[in-house]
Amino acid sequence: MSELWCDAGKGYHPASAPDYLPVPQLRALQLRRLKSVTRRVYDQVALFRERMQARNITPDNIKSLEDIALLPFTQKTDLRDTYPFGLFASPMSDIVRLHASSGTTGKPIVVAYTKEDVEVWTSVMIRSFASCGLHQGDIIQNSYGYGLFTGGLGAHYGAEGLGATVVPVSGGNTQRQIMLMKDFGVTAICCTPSYFLHILDQCKELKVNIRDLPLKVGVFGAEPWTEEMRKRIQAESNVEAYDIFGLSEIIGPGVAIECPHHNGLHVFEDHFYPEIIDIETNQPCPDGQEGELVLTTLTKKAMPMIRYRTHDISRLRTDVCPCGRTIRRIERIARRSDDMLIIRGVNLFPSQIEAALLTVEGTLPHYQIVLSRDKGLDQVEVLVEVTPEFFSDRVGSLEALRHKLSHSIENTVGIRAQVRLVEPHTIQRSEGKAKRVIDRRNA
Ligand code: ADP
Ligand code: ZN
């Protein structure tokens, strides 16, 4: 436990947090842990052992951190193929928690935690909240869904571990969320950025001025969002918006988070070792180059992941952050390699559409991309909500706005999209991850 640095419940001790370890010490710790996790999966998990044997490697081949490249990748399909418990490295008697990802298509994927894994998870969430400037005395409203989804309980344990007061409201019932925020004097909220936008809309409708509330920090993640979205959120509230990243396969939320400099997300790399690989060659990229984020859990007991391919596109930043943390940063994740839409031969990511839309005044940050096929040709329609003021006062300029938006999209992504302006509240709101794309091409 001492190596885990922080006991849930005993509060946060910033000075001793591994965020600030001298780099050589951090690398030595990572190597020690990499060796140990490699040994663990080799001994305990048939899939990893067989893959290593097929490559003629044993845990003894890991002599430096670079040797991680000798190890095989793990994919989401590996979790599906071994559903439910095939990748567990601990007996069920040591497992204290199971979670599962949404699994909207087919079987969900299952992840497991020992008591120690839950402690690690709590500690990285404590470090995450601390990175947003939160501490004991803060009142954190946790609007991530509680249940099989990792967001709710992950943030809950972290907030309690920090010594803050947690309001475990979970997602949904937005009016009640706003009432509690007001009545309890909530100072920070955790939810998806799209759900926070919905809360902002509802505040307006209920004539609650969000700026009158003590809410000052938003910990937003679980879905991609853009810098433009941050600007909108911050312009409409006094909330400082922090980007938090995580995935169930690695631990849940708390893999990486921004610090007050908002210049990338610090990865808790004493537990989660990051690599960026070239998607074409599968070879490690030099620092600073864009590619797919691959993560190895260095301390997980119940279900370690070796070189897990996240499909999230990012870069590793090694320049020194003014906050003094020595753990490296990843650039904010705006897209996934499997999110890429190919429209008439042009590669398009939903986040590019978001960025293009939000640079134009008069729109709300609610949009949906609808793909269809007409005479064999892909068609893109973008539905965008227009501010109530625009709808009521300036009807004449709707056409001009539509043109502006299509131009902005064409300039950003190089394709012509049909823009359809819709009234506020027309696009379905989500309490969790927003659904940005509706693909009717094969309907
Ligand atoms: P599910 O597979 O059910 O969506 P997760 O909640 O574990 O399960 O989803 C993890 C994925 O969510 C990540 O791989 C990433 O694509 C996305 N994600 C999480 N946090 C962020 C973030 N801050 N920015 C961009 N994408 C994110
Ligand atoms: Zn920093």
Side-chain angles (χ1 to χ4, degrees):
M1 192 62 212
S2 60
E3 279 232 314
L4 299 179
W5 149 82
C6 168
D7 259 321
K10 291 199 184 144
Y12 176 66
H13 315 289
S16 58
D19 304 30
Y20 304 95
L21 274 181
V23 175
Q25 209 174 315
L26 175 61
R27 299 283 171 261
L29 175 69
Q30 289 172 319
L31 179 58
R32 211 160 60 238
R33 289 178 169 177
L34 178 64
K35 286 179 177 176
S36 134
V37 75
T38 310
R39 168 61 63 193
R40 184 173 184 85
V41 296
Y42 189 83
D43 290 346
Q44 306 295 336
V45 187
L47 178 132
F48 290 118
R49 183 171 49 251
E50 284 157 16
R51 288 204 181 151
M52 285 170 66
Q53 282 168 345
R55 292 178 159 221
N56 260 328
I57 3 179
T58 71
D60 297 330
N61 290 95
I62 305 297
K63 297 198 168 66
S64 70
L65 282 171
E66 289 67 45
D67 291 335
I68 197 169
L70 300 170
L71 296 171
F73 292 116
T74 314
Q75 305 262 14
K76 200 172 210 120
T77 47
D78 296 323
L79 282 95
R80 294 226 166 92
D81 295 347
T82 53
Y83 175 86
F85 305 148
L87 293 183
F88 289 10
S90 298
M92 196 52 96
S93 54
D94 287 347
I95 288 171
V96 299
R97 178 101 63 82
L98 297 173
H99 277 284
S101 87
S102 40
T104 32
T105 51
K107 295 262 191 224
I109 55 140
V110 179
V111 292
Y113 305 76
T114 63
K115 201 163 178 296
E116 212 175 354
D117 293 334
V118 173
E119 279 165 5
V120 169
W121 190 12
T122 302
S123 77
V124 289
M125 280 308 298
I126 294 174
R127 290 159 70 183
S128 299
F129 285 132
S131 181
C132 307
L134 298 173
H135 41 68
Q136 192 167 10
D138 273 303
I139 304 179
I140 303 180
Q141 181 145 324
N142 185 12
S143 311
Y144 281 120
Y146 280 65
L148 284 176
F149 173 59
T150 51
L153 284 173
H156 182 101
Y157 275 55
E160 276 191 4
L162 182 71
T165 308
V166 57
V167 184
V169 55
S170 195
N173 199 340
T174 311
Q175 292 205 2
R176 190 181 55 178
Q177 301 254 1
I178 295 168
M179 180 187 80
L180 297 181
M181 261 157 56
K182 237 169 63 178
D183 296 350
F184 293 179
V186 165
T187 56
I189 186 165
C190 325
C191 58
T192 56
S194 55
Y195 188 57
F196 189 65
L197 289 171
H198 183 47
I199 293 180
L200 287 179
D201 285 354
Q202 288 279 304
C203 279
K204 278 189 204 144
E205 228 152 78
L206 299 170
K207 308 252 178 304
V208 171
N209 186 352
I210 189 126
R211 292 177 193 281
D212 293 341
L213 308 183
L215 189 71
K216 59 172 198 274
V217 166
V219 185
F220 302 131
E223 65 183 5
W225 53 306
T226 55
E227 206 45 48
E228 287 75 13
M229 188 72 95
R230 189 203 317 266
K231 284 188 197 131
R232 284 281 176 112
I233 289 174
Q234 296 189 158
E236 286 194 24
S237 63
N238 291 333
V239 164
E240 182 165 356
Y242 285 84
D243 191 0
I244 184 166
F245 167 79
L247 61 164
S248 315
E249 296 86 328
I250 296 305
I251 200 136
V255 173
I257 189 146
E258 289 179 336
C259 69
H261 297 277
H262 302 285
N263 53 2
L265 290 80
H266 287 282
V267 182
F268 295 114
E269 59 169 324
D270 47 324
H271 295 293
F272 318 116
Y273 189 79
E275 296 172 86
I276 297 286
I277 62 157
D278 184 312
I279 298 172
E280 310 277 299
T281 64
N282 289 348
Q283 292 305 309
C285 289
D287 284 340
Q289 196 172 305
E290 187 179 86
E292 178 179 342
L293 176 66
V294 169
L295 290 164
T296 298
T297 62
L298 297 176
T299 49
K300 266 270 215 69
K301 291 285 189 284
M303 203 176 144
M305 277 294 136
I306 302 293
R307 306 192 81 202
Y308 185 72
R309 307 236 352 205
T310 63
H311 290 287
D312 294 315
I313 305 293
S314 186
R315 292 171 218 271
L316 262 179
R317 295 188 53 170
T318 47
D319 54 313
V320 177
C321 184
C323 75
R325 284 178 179 76
T326 50
I327 48 176
R328 285 173 289 176
R329 284 166 289 153
I330 48 171
E331 212 160 74
R332 85 179 301 147
I333 287 156
R335 56 201 178 90
R336 292 175 51 86
S337 58
D338 51 6
D339 249 9
M340 190 175 79
L341 307 167
I342 303 180
I343 308 295
R344 302 191 288 266
V346 176
N347 300 347
L348 167 76
F349 290 95
S351 58
Q352 292 175 296
I353 299 267
E354 177 176 308
L357 296 176
L358 294 188
T359 52
V360 179
E361 291 279 315
T363 58
L364 293 170
H366 300 289
Y367 65 94
Q368 204 156 48
I369 302 164
V370 184
L371 306 177
S372 58
R373 195 164 279 155
D374 184 28
K375 300 190 190 83
L377 267 189
D378 293 337
Q379 308 292 333
V380 188
E381 186 178 41
V382 181
L383 274 59
V384 197
E385 287 186 13
V386 173
T387 58
E389 300 77 48
F390 226 99
F391 247 102
S392 51
D393 308 341
R394 299 158 67 178
V395 180
S397 46
L398 279 176
E399 198 47 32
L401 177 62
R402 221 169 58 76
H403 274 293
K404 244 195 219 164
L405 290 167
S406 326
H407 268 123
S408 177
I409 294 174
E410 196 170 350
N411 286 340
T412 317
V413 285
I415 59 155
R416 195 160 295 167
Q418 281 289 336
V419 173
R420 179 142 59 98
L421 302 178
V422 296
E423 287 185 47
H425 302 294
T426 324
I427 295 169
Q428 204 191 348
R429 303 293 191 260
S430 145
E431 289 164 10
K433 300 180 189 237
K435 187 166 171 52
R436 299 296 190 198
V437 181
I438 298 179
D439 194 345
R440 300 207 177 107
R441 283 179 297 182
N442 296 315

